[in-house]
Amino acid sequence: MRFSILPLAIGLLPFASAAPLEKRALSQSDTDTLQLALYLENLEFSLYTGGFNNFDDAAYTAAGFPAGFRENVGVIAQQEGVHIQTISTVLSNNGVTPVPKCQYTFNYTDPTSFVALANMITTVGIGAYIGGATNLTDNAELLLTAGSIVTNEARHDTFLRDGLKASPFPTPFDTVLTAVWAYNLAQMFVVPGSCPSDLPIIKLPKLNNTTPMVPTDIQTPKDGGSTLSFSWDPSTFFVPQKDGTQLYIALLNQVTMISFVPIATTPASSGSITVPQRVAGVGFAALTTFGSGVDLNGLTQFGTLAGPAEFVLG
């Protein structure tokens, strides 16, 4: 089965070509937010297209997914295509060249690992839309369109988690991401040097989550107590750290709640932590020298030594 995004795209084009958007130039904040959204939508479109094309119905059924699951993966890919066309039209209508797609690499090997990875990547997109909403408050039409997209993305994520027999709603709040963190999380799946043009967003040193990337035990939501392991390269830090400096993992989870957990002292390049009880679902981690007193904006602007990395607890 092949899908065409054209009929649905035509149905949504009024959002992209509504008069307020044509007559009112985008602010720089609007443009930056839409370009990042498009960058992530391109990534998701490639992910879901691969999940549909690389496995047939029999493969999904053998993996324990219900009848029609693969078809709905294709529908999600189709809807991501509509998001791409909608955002691209808004940008083009306002004289902005939409950011082009890159080449991507995804480390799934079967339907189950694909769906688990899709849960993680879709969570990044949701967090970026929520975080970007504050940049669109001067443009009601854009804010409404972005809000409509993020609720659709959340439905995609619920579908994925239900397919894994995981809780469709593991936490009462989703987690907010800044543009810098969302962009850096996407770099895990972008082939280096493959983007015709990059976004003007800083690329941070990498923090590697060395616990399983695609967990096989997320059927029961966990509230803390799990062990997470990370590695990093101290030579990549923007600011060198003296030996003996205490390092922490900052765990971002549910809106902008941050928990700081000691992990190692320099010059260590790896370590493990026990997740605090109030951390659950899907979240994001960064290596920092701060043990308290810094919020998400502070971590983004000056507090991240390496990261972020994504983790799944349930």
Side-chain angles (χ1 to χ4, degrees):
M1 179 184 298
R2 294 188 178 275
F3 292 89
S4 169
I5 70 169
L6 186 57
L8 285 177
I10 290 173
L12 285 187
L13 280 180
F15 285 100
S17 59
L21 296 184
E22 288 185 342
K23 295 179 180 179
R24 179 179 178 179
L26 297 177
S27 69
Q28 188 60 54
S29 178
D30 294 338
T31 299
D32 293 344
T33 301
L34 290 176
Q35 291 283 44
L36 175 61
L38 181 57
Y39 188 91
L40 297 174
E41 293 287 1
N42 283 331
L43 172 67
E44 292 183 4
F45 179 76
S46 178
L47 171 71
Y48 284 108
T49 300
F52 178 79
N53 290 332
N54 293 334
F55 308 111
D56 59 16
D57 291 327
Y60 278 98
T61 300
F65 293 96
F69 193 92
R70 175 177 177 265
E71 181 178 357
N72 278 324
V73 170
V75 172
I76 293 176
Q78 183 184 50
Q79 291 181 352
E80 301 297 358
V82 174
H83 297 166
I84 289 170
Q85 184 165 345
T86 302
I87 297 170
S88 296
T89 301
V90 173
L91 290 166
S92 297
N93 282 352
N94 287 275
V96 179
T97 301
V99 63
K101 65 181 180 181
C102 307
Q103 295 178 22
Y104 310 101
T105 179
F106 302 108
N107 60 339
Y108 61 79
T109 57
D110 53 40
T112 300
S113 59
F114 157 72
V115 175
L117 183 61
N119 166 224
M120 297 179 72
I121 291 177
T122 301
T123 300
V124 172
I126 292 170
Y129 270 108
I130 298 172
T134 59
N135 299 323
L136 302 175
T137 54
D138 65 338
N139 194 323
E141 287 292 327
L142 281 183
L143 186 59
L144 286 172
T145 303
S148 180
I149 290 175
V150 73
T151 55
N152 176 257
E153 297 282 349
R155 291 188 183 94
H156 295 169
D157 199 46
T158 297
F159 166 76
L160 297 168
R161 294 181 61 84
D162 187 62
L164 291 166
K165 299 181 176 62
S167 170
F169 30 78
T171 56
F173 303 99
D174 285 317
T175 302
V176 177
L177 285 172
T178 61
V180 171
W181 274 30
Y183 184 67
N184 277 270
L185 286 160
Q187 300 313 305
M188 295 173 58
F189 311 105
V190 175
V191 176
S194 70
C195 299
S197 62
D198 281 320
L199 297 180
I201 299 176
I202 190 171
K203 292 182 181 178
L204 299 170
K206 290 183 179 180
L207 178 66
N208 304 301
N209 182 351
T210 54
T211 46
M213 177 64 183
V214 180
T216 58
D217 59 347
I218 68 171
Q219 282 71 23
T220 302
K222 301 175 183 177
D223 183 11
S226 299
T227 298
L228 293 176
S229 298
F230 300 93
S231 66
W232 56 89
D233 181 357
S235 70
T236 63
F237 294 166
F238 293 155
V239 179
Q241 301 298 310
K242 294 180 180 179
D243 287 357
T245 300
Q246 179 65 58
L247 302 177
Y248 299 84
I249 290 292
L251 299 172
L252 175 67
N253 185 241
Q254 302 188 62
V255 194
T256 57
M257 181 181 73
I258 301 175
S259 301
F260 297 88
V261 184
I263 188 169
T265 57
T266 54
S269 59
S270 64
S272 298
I273 64 168
T274 299
V275 178
Q277 287 301 312
R278 63 177 184 168
V279 179
V282 182
F284 307 94
L287 187 71
T288 182
T289 57
F290 289 88
S292 63
V294 63
D295 61 11
L296 177 56
N297 286 330
L299 281 174
T300 297
Q301 294 169 13
F302 56 81
T304 299
L305 284 177
E310 191 169 4
F311 60 87
V312 176
L313 301 176

